[in-house]
Amino acid sequence: MDKIPKILLTFIFVCLILIAAIAGIFIYNSYKASNAPVPNEKELTAYINGHYTENPEILKTAELEDKIGILFKEKNEENSIGVAILHRTNSGSGWYISGSSYGDYVGNWIMVSSSTSGNESYFYLASINCNPRIDSYSYEYISPDNAACERVTEKVEDRTFIKMYEGGIAGEFIYYDKDGNDISQELWETGII
């Protein structure tokens, strides 16, 4: 009779050690995965390849918390533009494409898109060879908590870019020339945007 409790105690002790070891491995892997590096250009190209284009060329990327915006084009198509948004998986161990846009690029305008994921909203602005007449642009920015809305003006620093922001975008998107004149209507009428 005395041997049964000792065997039972030994069994329970071994089980507790195994449970602690498994929990430790799980916690270590979760921490390691959530700190996994952002994919490199080769890995980003692999996410895009075949989904939208056969020969993607990544031009720019932007990071926003657990998201990566990728601006790309088809290498053999001068008038193509694509944006893919990658989200980190819930486990933090990888990435998945959560949104995208791809097509012909006419007029060298600024592409604008917004999205909501869970309780968060975000938007991106992107352009390939932004029209040289466009010196700056403005839009109405809505804060992530929808508490404030303000008009934001940004200068075009780089003609090929992608930017990502928390919050939303609304209202008119206005283009300005170097003198600060609103040239939006003119660009629409001439088919540039």
Side-chain angles (χ1 to χ4, degrees):
M1 243 6 206
D2 289 334
K3 288 190 175 187
I4 294 176
K6 286 183 181 179
I7 292 173
L8 184 59
L9 288 175
T10 304
F11 177 75
I12 292 172
F13 181 70
V14 169
C15 286
L16 289 174
I17 290 174
L18 285 174
I19 291 171
I22 291 170
I25 291 169
F26 178 76
I27 291 169
Y28 172 76
N29 284 336
S30 296
Y31 175 77
K32 182 179 169 187
S34 66
N35 291 315
V38 171
N40 62 33
E41 187 168 343
K42 184 177 179 181
E43 293 165 329
L44 292 175
T45 302
Y47 279 104
I48 298 166
N49 195 12
H51 293 281
Y52 312 100
T53 175
E54 294 302 316
N55 199 5
E57 176 183 356
I58 294 177
L59 303 173
K60 299 279 183 168
T61 60
E63 292 178 47
L64 178 64
E65 295 180 359
D66 62 346
K67 293 170 278 305
I68 302 171
I70 308 166
L71 177 64
F72 65 95
K73 70 180 211 62
E74 169 69 41
K75 282 186 181 176
N76 302 323
E77 298 281 335
E78 282 306 311
N79 293 326
S80 67
I81 184 171
V83 172
I85 305 297
L86 296 182
H87 264 81
R88 189 182 299 272
T89 60
N90 288 338
S91 68
S93 61
W95 299 86
Y96 66 94
I97 294 178
S98 65
S100 63
S101 177
Y102 179 76
D104 291 333
Y105 186 64
V106 180
N108 307 100
W109 45 274
I110 298 172
M111 202 170 150
V112 181
S113 184
S114 60
S115 184
T116 302
S117 176
N119 293 334
E120 64 180 0
S121 60
Y122 66 93
F123 65 97
Y124 67 81
L125 308 170
S127 184
I128 296 177
N129 298 323
C130 183
N131 188 292
R133 294 207 44 224
I134 300 171
D135 184 69
S136 59
Y137 52 90
S138 71
Y139 55 87
E140 289 182 5
Y141 168 76
I142 302 168
S143 64
D145 58 1
N146 292 321
C149 181
E150 64 179 287
R151 180 150 291 276
V152 175
T153 301
E154 296 187 27
K155 188 163 179 56
V156 177
E157 300 290 342
D158 188 354
R159 296 285 158 191
T160 298
F161 65 88
I162 182 168
K163 299 177 179 183
M164 294 179 67
Y165 302 95
E166 287 185 24
I169 190 168
E172 286 184 285
F173 197 86
I174 303 172
Y175 296 100
Y176 302 98
D177 65 12
K178 63 180 172 53
D179 297 322
N181 299 313
D182 179 348
I183 57 172
S184 304
Q185 188 65 33
E186 179 187 340
L187 293 176
W188 279 107
E189 288 172 359
T190 58
I192 291 175
I193 57 173

